[in-house]
Amino acid sequence: MCGVYVHIPFCQSRCRYCDFFSTTQLESRSAYVDTVLKEWQARSSEIDGGIRTIYIGGGTPSMLDVADVQRLVDAIATPETVEITMEANPGDLTLDKLQALHDAGVNRLSIGIQTFRNPLLRRIGRRHTARQARLAVKWAQQAGFNNISIDLMFGLPRQTLVQWEMDVRAALRLGVQHISCYCLSYEQGTPLTKMVEKGEITPTSERLQNRMYNFLCKVLKRQGWDHYEVSNFALPGYRSQHNGSYWNHTPYIGLGAGAHSFDGKVRSWNPCDLKAYMTGIQTNTLQRESETLTQEQHHIEQVMLQLRTVEGINESLVSNRMDKVNDYIHRGLLRRQGTQLIATQEGLNILNRIIEDLI
Ligand code: SF4
């Protein structure tokens, strides 16, 4: 069984740190959903068996009309579908809309909160407020959602450790089941990166980033959360099943502009261009680029993805790097459990460096 990702590339405005593919041209939203459904019609035969998970991501999927979400769910879900996630911006949600989304079959929400401090939200260009974030979660719970994830960000410009600690405690008070947490990264060409280049803001030091991350891990662990991937924490039984399939190299189909697909050997992707995607699908002329993973690429991806998880990697994957592995174990950055190698809390702070060394 496989998963389906649907990319909804519409945003009301662009956040200052974002380099994802999205557009603020909102008028074609419904026609875009028509196009995604046409793509699905043409590609659903690529799948043997049912669809286990559906993830509607973006962009900002909560900018779609509920009727369009309903059309996607009705067309793609099968009796085997256990998880239907939709990403949402707090400012787009009302109790009525959440009830309608729940009725449409969405059973997991991923709400982009980022921080509970309004000045920080404004600094990074998010359009919602902390009050809207709290209300969105409360209304989602009232609407019957019992599998809610929130996104938080740390390392924001001029964010202090104390402010971050307050954000983590505020998140825990919401009663959600899943938290994804990312350190702000400065991608080339984004407005925030330009502000750094002009000297208007200074990126958070690595030392402070590590203290923020370690605080989060420590508090959530103490409260019984399952830290199952470097950036993801779940209450027992609430891991993201869809994302889990990416880390295990399970096949998935990506629908929509810019979406990637993987069939176990070949990775392919649609153009990051709304017009090219829509015209291509409507005229049956879409050119999807693709690459066949070599054994070496497959191996590298396995190390990169699985070392980020709490299960770690089988040591056979890095048997030609055992001198480095032993050094990391000796320094307390990796630990061995049977034949698995797992990053320790200290190791997670420098995970990218460890991965680079082992591939
Ligand atoms: S809402 Fe998400 S996709 Fe849209 S601009 Fe902001 S971060 Fe990027």
Side-chain angles (χ1 to χ4, degrees):
M1 263 190 288
C2 95
V4 174
Y5 173 79
V6 183
H7 190 67
I8 306 297
F10 301 100
C11 294
Q12 181 112 47
S13 55
R14 295 280 301 161
C15 303
R16 287 189 185 149
Y17 56 89
C18 181
D19 75 336
F20 298 151
F21 165 59
S22 73
T23 169
T24 51
Q25 292 162 10
L26 307 179
E27 52 290 344
S28 48
R29 280 173 287 180
S30 225
Y32 178 80
V33 171
D34 294 341
T35 312
V36 168
L37 291 172
K38 190 164 164 39
E39 184 187 5
W40 175 239
Q41 251 180 7
R43 296 186 59 200
S44 54
S45 59
E46 291 174 23
I47 291 178
D48 282 336
I51 307 297
R52 189 168 159 71
T53 59
I54 300 172
Y55 194 102
I56 307 174
T60 315
S62 53
M63 294 197 63
L64 291 182
D65 286 342
V66 177
D68 284 332
V69 177
Q70 177 88 66
R71 290 198 294 143
L72 289 169
V73 172
D74 288 350
I76 302 170
T78 66
E80 295 82 0
T81 308
V82 291
E83 184 184 275
I84 304 177
T85 303
M86 193 183 99
E87 291 181 352
N89 186 307
D92 298 333
L93 299 174
T94 61
L95 180 55
D96 283 351
K97 183 160 186 171
L98 284 158
Q99 276 165 344
L101 286 168
H102 193 257
D103 290 347
V106 176
N107 61 10
R108 184 172 183 273
L109 277 182
S110 172
I111 305 179
I113 289 180
Q114 319 313 350
T115 169
F116 295 91
R117 296 190 82 81
N118 289 334
L120 282 178
L121 285 167
R122 284 196 293 273
R123 205 168 291 155
I124 60 173
R126 297 292 307 202
R127 62 186 163 92
H128 66 273
T129 62
R131 182 170 177 276
Q132 285 176 313
R134 287 194 175 88
L135 271 178
V137 173
K138 190 171 134 198
W139 286 335
Q141 288 161 336
Q142 284 175 9
F145 285 96
N146 56 13
N147 191 353
I148 302 173
S149 178
I150 60 167
D151 280 358
L152 292 180
M153 290 178 89
F154 61 96
L156 302 178
R158 296 197 281 278
Q159 183 183 37
T160 65
L161 182 59
V162 172
Q163 288 173 345
W164 171 243
E165 290 174 0
M166 288 167 74
D167 272 353
V168 173
R169 292 199 177 96
L172 285 170
R173 282 196 294 274
L174 293 176
V176 296
Q177 289 75 25
H178 191 279
I179 298 177
S180 297
C181 192
Y182 302 95
C183 183
L184 175 71
S185 59
Y186 289 87
E187 306 299 337
Q188 219 184 352
T190 62
L192 270 192
T193 302
K194 287 182 184 148
M195 288 170 80
V196 171
E197 286 159 3
K198 285 190 213 149
E200 291 168 5
I201 51 172
T202 313
T204 308
S205 68
E206 194 177 319
R207 185 165 171 270
L208 180 54
Q209 287 176 10
N210 287 345
R211 288 180 73 191
M212 289 174 158
Y213 180 65
N214 290 342
F215 174 81
L216 170 83
C217 299
K218 192 175 78 187
V219 170
L220 266 64
K221 192 171 175 198
R222 210 189 288 143
Q223 300 210 11
W225 286 66
D226 172 17
H227 185 185
Y228 68 105
E229 198 263 354
V230 63
S231 304
N232 286 285
F233 303 79
L235 287 179
Y238 287 95
R239 292 184 181 191
S240 161
Q241 299 192 44
H242 185 84
N243 289 344
S245 60
Y246 293 148
W247 305 326
N248 296 330
H249 264 162
T250 308
Y252 53 87
I253 285 196
L255 303 173
H260 284 230
S261 304
F262 181 61
D263 70 0
K265 286 193 184 121
V266 179
R267 192 180 307 290
S268 58
W269 54 94
N270 289 337
C272 283
D273 177 325
L274 192 65
K275 196 163 168 231
Y277 167 74
M278 289 180 67
T279 310
I281 293 288
Q282 279 152 9
T283 56
N284 292 321
T285 55
L286 185 78
Q287 297 292 327
R288 288 168 57 231
E289 288 187 65
S290 66
E291 62 171 357
T292 303
L293 292 195
T294 63
Q295 241 179 349
E296 193 194 347
Q297 284 170 314
H298 195 267
H299 173 260
I300 289 173
E301 288 198 4
Q302 266 184 307
V303 175
M304 284 172 63
L305 295 172
Q306 291 173 12
L307 205 51
R308 295 173 60 89
T309 70
V310 72
E311 283 80 27
I313 51 169
N314 192 281
E315 63 183 5
S316 61
L317 283 174
V318 287
S319 53
N320 56 344
R321 297 278 194 279
M322 285 320 277
D323 50 334
K324 298 231 159 104
V325 167
N326 289 331
D327 181 46
Y328 279 128
I329 291 175
H330 180 69
R331 290 160 59 195
L333 299 166
L334 286 179
R335 66 186 170 85
R336 193 178 257 120
Q337 190 172 302
T339 57
Q340 292 297 109
L341 296 167
I342 300 163
T344 63
Q345 180 61 42
E346 291 71 32
L348 290 177
N349 285 320
I350 58 153
L351 192 60
N352 288 342
R353 261 173 261 164
I354 297 178
I355 288 171
E356 264 174 43
D357 261 356
L358 297 186
I359 56 180

